[in-house]
Amino acid sequence: MFDLTGKTALVTGASGGIGGEIARALHAAGATVGLSGTRTEPLEALAADLGERAHVLPCNLSDPEAVAALPKQAVDAMGSVDILVNNAGITRDNLFMRMSDDEWQSVIDVNLTATFKLCKGVLRGMMKARWGRIVNISSVVGATGNPGQGNYAAAKAGMVGMSKSLAYEVASRGITVNTVAPGFIETAMTDKLTDDQKSAILTQIPTGRMGTPSEIAAAVLYLSSPEAAYVTGTTLHVNGGMAML
Amino acid sequence: MSDVADRVKKIVVEHLGVEEDKVVENASFIDDLGADSLDTVELVMAFEEEFGIEIPDDAAETIQTFGDAVKFINEAQ
């Protein structure tokens, strides 16, 4: 099940914990992967680890020109982009009343606008191929909100509405567009939390633990597979039950 | 009929699955040939590739009929 042999996948934020695991899972299913991220070193290390069928495609998603160029670079490297996983994201947390325009805009730019542009950039090839999978990585806070994350929650909720709209438009062309909404996952992003914050969070999670990047990757693998052809416009929540949506 | 018109007609017939004799000068892609809005985007993509031209979005919106397409492409080349 879930054989991606012959498919090509572009994964943004592949230098991070979740993105790296997503790339590994798609690669293990047979896909050729394009590893994108801001930091080249971890991408090179991951590519070396994966061996064949792995391409390093550095890209700073806060640079509009680099975003515009990425789909073409991916096609040059892999021949096509059959699967796009928009996983890259940043946080610039602050209380709403203290949030600067720059904190707001930079999070919207990277988490939402770059996602829009990358989706648009790969659609032409998917339309012609009459096959495509777009998986956008949102967040539980896009659905629930979170104090201190007005910008991040707005971007992640925006991603859901955008994905549904696009899903409508391209469903007849064999292209699905879905969202995966992770809860609290063990990554560098959640490592920054204090122990007190972590234990407070754990009381809200019925499974009693944080999730792992590989549990997000498994959801992405499913939505990227031929078997998920009838699933589009949905949000798959992977959050240990902390928000049952 | 010009070479451009022949090539445009071939693309329209193949993409929309319509009879060749339906593709006349004033035939509207959406109203007469059964295209949906996404089909018109795909037709423009196909014209761009066939003729090696760029059709900007605002120009693409003016291409409503077979005749519009032929005229635009002739002028663009």
Side-chain angles (χ1 to χ4, degrees), chain A residues 120 124 127-128 130 169-170 172-173, chain B residues 15 36 38-39 41-42 45 48-49:
Chain A
K120 199 174 164 192
R124 194 183 184 112
M127 297 256 284
K128 285 182 71 175
R130 290 288 189 267
E169 292 186 19
V170 297
S172 63
R173 269 52 172 187
Chain B
H15 189 87
D36 63 19
L38 196 56
D39 286 319
V41 173
E42 289 188 303
M45 279 164 42
E48 286 179 332
E49 279 176 24

PDB file of all heavy atoms in Angstrom, chain A residues 120 124 127-128 130 169-170 172-173, chain B residues 15 36 38-39 41-42 45 48-49:
ATOM      1  N   LYS A 120       0.393  27.545  -6.814  1.00  0.00           N
ATOM      2  CA  LYS A 120       0.151  28.079  -8.158  1.00  0.00           C
ATOM      3  C   LYS A 120       1.247  27.625  -9.120  1.00  0.00           C
ATOM      4  O   LYS A 120       0.973  27.280 -10.273  1.00  0.00           O
ATOM      5  CB  LYS A 120       0.092  29.609  -8.062  1.00  0.00           C
ATOM      6  CG  LYS A 120      -0.597  30.264  -9.240  1.00  0.00           C
ATOM      7  CD  LYS A 120      -0.751  31.759  -9.004  1.00  0.00           C
ATOM      8  CE  LYS A 120      -1.066  32.453 -10.315  1.00  0.00           C
ATOM      9  NZ  LYS A 120      -0.950  33.910 -10.206  1.00  0.00           N
ATOM     10  N   ARG A 124       0.312  23.934 -13.043  1.00  0.00           N
ATOM     11  CA  ARG A 124       0.325  23.746 -14.495  1.00  0.00           C
ATOM     12  C   ARG A 124       0.720  22.316 -14.864  1.00  0.00           C
ATOM     13  O   ARG A 124       0.055  21.648 -15.652  1.00  0.00           O
ATOM     14  CB  ARG A 124       1.288  24.760 -15.102  1.00  0.00           C
ATOM     15  CG  ARG A 124       1.166  24.921 -16.584  1.00  0.00           C
ATOM     16  CD  ARG A 124       2.226  25.918 -17.074  1.00  0.00           C
ATOM     17  NE  ARG A 124       2.065  26.153 -18.482  1.00  0.00           N
ATOM     18  CZ  ARG A 124       1.673  27.320 -18.998  1.00  0.00           C
ATOM     19  NH1 ARG A 124       1.429  28.332 -18.227  1.00  0.00           N
ATOM     20  NH2 ARG A 124       1.542  27.456 -20.302  1.00  0.00           N
ATOM     21  N   MET A 127      -1.975  19.841 -13.774  1.00  0.00           N
ATOM     22  CA  MET A 127      -3.156  19.893 -14.654  1.00  0.00           C
ATOM     23  C   MET A 127      -2.890  19.091 -15.918  1.00  0.00           C
ATOM     24  O   MET A 127      -3.759  18.348 -16.388  1.00  0.00           O
ATOM     25  CB  MET A 127      -3.453  21.342 -15.038  1.00  0.00           C
ATOM     26  CG  MET A 127      -3.819  22.214 -13.872  1.00  0.00           C
ATOM     27  SD  MET A 127      -5.579  22.558 -13.786  1.00  0.00           S
ATOM     28  CE  MET A 127      -5.743  23.754 -15.049  1.00  0.00           C
ATOM     29  N   LYS A 128      -1.711  19.266 -16.483  1.00  0.00           N
ATOM     30  CA  LYS A 128      -1.385  18.538 -17.716  1.00  0.00           C
ATOM     31  C   LYS A 128      -1.301  17.040 -17.462  1.00  0.00           C
ATOM     32  O   LYS A 128      -1.718  16.228 -18.277  1.00  0.00           O
ATOM     33  CB  LYS A 128      -0.067  19.050 -18.296  1.00  0.00           C
ATOM     34  CG  LYS A 128      -0.213  20.398 -18.952  1.00  0.00           C
ATOM     35  CD  LYS A 128       1.078  20.865 -19.563  1.00  0.00           C
ATOM     36  CE  LYS A 128       1.424  20.050 -20.801  1.00  0.00           C
ATOM     37  NZ  LYS A 128       2.630  20.576 -21.467  1.00  0.00           N
ATOM     38  N   ARG A 130      -2.897  15.486 -15.243  1.00  0.00           N
ATOM     39  CA  ARG A 130      -4.179  14.987 -14.721  1.00  0.00           C
ATOM     40  C   ARG A 130      -3.979  14.173 -13.432  1.00  0.00           C
ATOM     41  O   ARG A 130      -4.693  13.226 -13.146  1.00  0.00           O
ATOM     42  CB  ARG A 130      -4.915  14.125 -15.765  1.00  0.00           C
ATOM     43  CG  ARG A 130      -5.436  14.930 -16.944  1.00  0.00           C
ATOM     44  CD  ARG A 130      -6.623  15.780 -16.480  1.00  0.00           C
ATOM     45  NE  ARG A 130      -7.328  16.433 -17.574  1.00  0.00           N
ATOM     46  CZ  ARG A 130      -7.072  17.671 -18.010  1.00  0.00           C
ATOM     47  NH1 ARG A 130      -6.086  18.374 -17.480  1.00  0.00           N
ATOM     48  NH2 ARG A 130      -7.797  18.209 -18.962  1.00  0.00           N
ATOM     49  N   GLU A 169     -11.552  23.738  -7.266  1.00  0.00           N
ATOM     50  CA  GLU A 169     -11.232  24.118  -8.635  1.00  0.00           C
ATOM     51  C   GLU A 169     -10.561  23.011  -9.432  1.00  0.00           C
ATOM     52  O   GLU A 169     -10.772  22.895 -10.633  1.00  0.00           O
ATOM     53  CB  GLU A 169     -10.329  25.369  -8.636  1.00  0.00           C
ATOM     54  CG  GLU A 169     -11.046  26.620  -8.145  1.00  0.00           C
ATOM     55  CD  GLU A 169     -10.185  27.872  -8.291  1.00  0.00           C
ATOM     56  OE1 GLU A 169      -9.217  27.854  -9.082  1.00  0.00           O
ATOM     57  OE2 GLU A 169     -10.477  28.869  -7.607  1.00  0.00           O
ATOM     58  N   VAL A 170      -9.734  22.216  -8.791  1.00  0.00           N
ATOM     59  CA  VAL A 170      -8.907  21.275  -9.557  1.00  0.00           C
ATOM     60  C   VAL A 170      -9.291  19.805  -9.353  1.00  0.00           C
ATOM     61  O   VAL A 170      -8.635  18.922  -9.902  1.00  0.00           O
ATOM     62  CB  VAL A 170      -7.406  21.471  -9.243  1.00  0.00           C
ATOM     63  CG1 VAL A 170      -6.955  22.863  -9.667  1.00  0.00           C
ATOM     64  CG2 VAL A 170      -7.107  21.250  -7.767  1.00  0.00           C
ATOM     65  N   SER A 172     -11.596  18.055 -10.618  1.00  0.00           N
ATOM     66  CA  SER A 172     -11.938  17.354 -11.861  1.00  0.00           C
ATOM     67  C   SER A 172     -10.706  16.995 -12.675  1.00  0.00           C
ATOM     68  O   SER A 172     -10.802  16.262 -13.650  1.00  0.00           O
ATOM     69  CB  SER A 172     -12.882  18.210 -12.698  1.00  0.00           C
ATOM     70  OG  SER A 172     -12.233  19.406 -13.081  1.00  0.00           O
ATOM     71  N   ARG A 173      -9.564  17.502 -12.289  1.00  0.00           N
ATOM     72  CA  ARG A 173      -8.311  17.214 -13.011  1.00  0.00           C
ATOM     73  C   ARG A 173      -7.454  16.191 -12.275  1.00  0.00           C
ATOM     74  O   ARG A 173      -6.252  16.078 -12.537  1.00  0.00           O
ATOM     75  CB  ARG A 173      -7.508  18.497 -13.198  1.00  0.00           C
ATOM     76  CG  ARG A 173      -7.780  19.252 -14.489  1.00  0.00           C
ATOM     77  CD  ARG A 173      -9.227  19.529 -14.722  1.00  0.00           C
ATOM     78  NE  ARG A 173      -9.417  20.425 -15.867  1.00  0.00           N
ATOM     79  CZ  ARG A 173     -10.590  20.944 -16.206  1.00  0.00           C
ATOM     80  NH1 ARG A 173     -11.671  20.674 -15.493  1.00  0.00           N
ATOM     81  NH2 ARG A 173     -10.697  21.732 -17.249  1.00  0.00           N
TER      82      ARG A 173
ATOM     83  N   HIS B  15      -9.007  19.162 -26.804  1.00  0.00           N
ATOM     84  CA  HIS B  15      -9.182  19.441 -25.377  1.00  0.00           C
ATOM     85  C   HIS B  15     -10.630  19.368 -24.936  1.00  0.00           C
ATOM     86  O   HIS B  15     -10.944  18.845 -23.864  1.00  0.00           O
ATOM     87  CB  HIS B  15      -8.594  20.802 -25.015  1.00  0.00           C
ATOM     88  CG  HIS B  15      -8.554  21.022 -23.542  1.00  0.00           C
ATOM     89  ND1 HIS B  15      -7.507  20.606 -22.761  1.00  0.00           N
ATOM     90  CD2 HIS B  15      -9.472  21.533 -22.681  1.00  0.00           C
ATOM     91  CE1 HIS B  15      -7.768  20.872 -21.499  1.00  0.00           C
ATOM     92  NE2 HIS B  15      -8.952  21.429 -21.418  1.00  0.00           N
ATOM     93  N   ASP B  36     -15.626  24.696 -19.198  1.00  0.00           N
ATOM     94  CA  ASP B  36     -15.797  25.400 -17.929  1.00  0.00           C
ATOM     95  C   ASP B  36     -14.637  26.389 -17.794  1.00  0.00           C
ATOM     96  O   ASP B  36     -13.755  26.444 -18.656  1.00  0.00           O
ATOM     97  CB  ASP B  36     -15.900  24.431 -16.747  1.00  0.00           C
ATOM     98  CG  ASP B  36     -14.648  23.604 -16.521  1.00  0.00           C
ATOM     99  OD1 ASP B  36     -13.569  23.994 -17.009  1.00  0.00           O
ATOM    100  OD2 ASP B  36     -14.749  22.559 -15.852  1.00  0.00           O
ATOM    101  N   LEU B  38     -12.094  26.508 -15.947  1.00  0.00           N
ATOM    102  CA  LEU B  38     -10.759  25.906 -15.877  1.00  0.00           C
ATOM    103  C   LEU B  38     -10.301  25.407 -17.252  1.00  0.00           C
ATOM    104  O   LEU B  38      -9.117  25.461 -17.579  1.00  0.00           O
ATOM    105  CB  LEU B  38     -10.771  24.760 -14.861  1.00  0.00           C
ATOM    106  CG  LEU B  38      -9.424  24.253 -14.365  1.00  0.00           C
ATOM    107  CD1 LEU B  38      -8.588  25.374 -13.769  1.00  0.00           C
ATOM    108  CD2 LEU B  38      -9.630  23.173 -13.317  1.00  0.00           C
ATOM    109  N   ASP B  39     -11.256  24.948 -18.077  1.00  0.00           N
ATOM    110  CA  ASP B  39     -10.902  24.557 -19.450  1.00  0.00           C
ATOM    111  C   ASP B  39     -10.288  25.739 -20.198  1.00  0.00           C
ATOM    112  O   ASP B  39      -9.334  25.569 -20.966  1.00  0.00           O
ATOM    113  CB  ASP B  39     -12.143  24.091 -20.218  1.00  0.00           C
ATOM    114  CG  ASP B  39     -12.623  22.708 -19.791  1.00  0.00           C
ATOM    115  OD1 ASP B  39     -11.769  21.839 -19.574  1.00  0.00           O
ATOM    116  OD2 ASP B  39     -13.845  22.514 -19.694  1.00  0.00           O
ATOM    117  N   VAL B  41      -8.602  28.172 -18.994  1.00  0.00           N
ATOM    118  CA  VAL B  41      -7.218  28.353 -18.525  1.00  0.00           C
ATOM    119  C   VAL B  41      -6.304  27.328 -19.203  1.00  0.00           C
ATOM    120  O   VAL B  41      -5.201  27.644 -19.656  1.00  0.00           O
ATOM    121  CB  VAL B  41      -7.134  28.191 -16.990  1.00  0.00           C
ATOM    122  CG1 VAL B  41      -5.685  28.214 -16.517  1.00  0.00           C
ATOM    123  CG2 VAL B  41      -7.937  29.280 -16.299  1.00  0.00           C
ATOM    124  N   GLU B  42      -6.792  26.099 -19.289  1.00  0.00           N
ATOM    125  CA  GLU B  42      -5.973  25.050 -19.913  1.00  0.00           C
ATOM    126  C   GLU B  42      -5.780  25.295 -21.406  1.00  0.00           C
ATOM    127  O   GLU B  42      -4.713  25.003 -21.948  1.00  0.00           O
ATOM    128  CB  GLU B  42      -6.615  23.683 -19.674  1.00  0.00           C
ATOM    129  CG  GLU B  42      -6.508  23.259 -18.224  1.00  0.00           C
ATOM    130  CD  GLU B  42      -6.971  21.828 -18.006  1.00  0.00           C
ATOM    131  OE1 GLU B  42      -8.134  21.518 -18.364  1.00  0.00           O
ATOM    132  OE2 GLU B  42      -6.180  21.038 -17.496  1.00  0.00           O
ATOM    133  N   MET B  45      -3.080  27.778 -21.767  1.00  0.00           N
ATOM    134  CA  MET B  45      -1.797  27.106 -21.529  1.00  0.00           C
ATOM    135  C   MET B  45      -1.356  26.350 -22.779  1.00  0.00           C
ATOM    136  O   MET B  45      -0.185  26.376 -23.165  1.00  0.00           O
ATOM    137  CB  MET B  45      -1.923  26.107 -20.361  1.00  0.00           C
ATOM    138  CG  MET B  45      -1.820  26.736 -18.983  1.00  0.00           C
ATOM    139  SD  MET B  45      -2.422  25.638 -17.633  1.00  0.00           S
ATOM    140  CE  MET B  45      -1.777  24.044 -18.090  1.00  0.00           C
ATOM    141  N   GLU B  48      -0.188  28.713 -25.486  1.00  0.00           N
ATOM    142  CA  GLU B  48       1.150  29.245 -25.167  1.00  0.00           C
ATOM    143  C   GLU B  48       2.228  28.257 -25.594  1.00  0.00           C
ATOM    144  O   GLU B  48       3.253  28.636 -26.158  1.00  0.00           O
ATOM    145  CB  GLU B  48       1.272  29.520 -23.660  1.00  0.00           C
ATOM    146  CG  GLU B  48       0.510  30.752 -23.197  1.00  0.00           C
ATOM    147  CD  GLU B  48       0.639  30.986 -21.702  1.00  0.00           C
ATOM    148  OE1 GLU B  48       0.830  30.002 -20.939  1.00  0.00           O
ATOM    149  OE2 GLU B  48       0.550  32.147 -21.294  1.00  0.00           O
ATOM    150  N   GLU B  49       1.976  27.003 -25.312  1.00  0.00           N
ATOM    151  CA  GLU B  49       2.996  26.000 -25.646  1.00  0.00           C
ATOM    152  C   GLU B  49       3.081  25.760 -27.147  1.00  0.00           C
ATOM    153  O   GLU B  49       4.167  25.674 -27.708  1.00  0.00           O
ATOM    154  CB  GLU B  49       2.692  24.697 -24.915  1.00  0.00           C
ATOM    155  CG  GLU B  49       3.189  24.771 -23.498  1.00  0.00           C
ATOM    156  CD  GLU B  49       2.837  23.553 -22.677  1.00  0.00           C
ATOM    157  OE1 GLU B  49       2.620  22.486 -23.265  1.00  0.00           O
ATOM    158  OE2 GLU B  49       2.780  23.699 -21.448  1.00  0.00           O
TER     159      GLU B  49
END
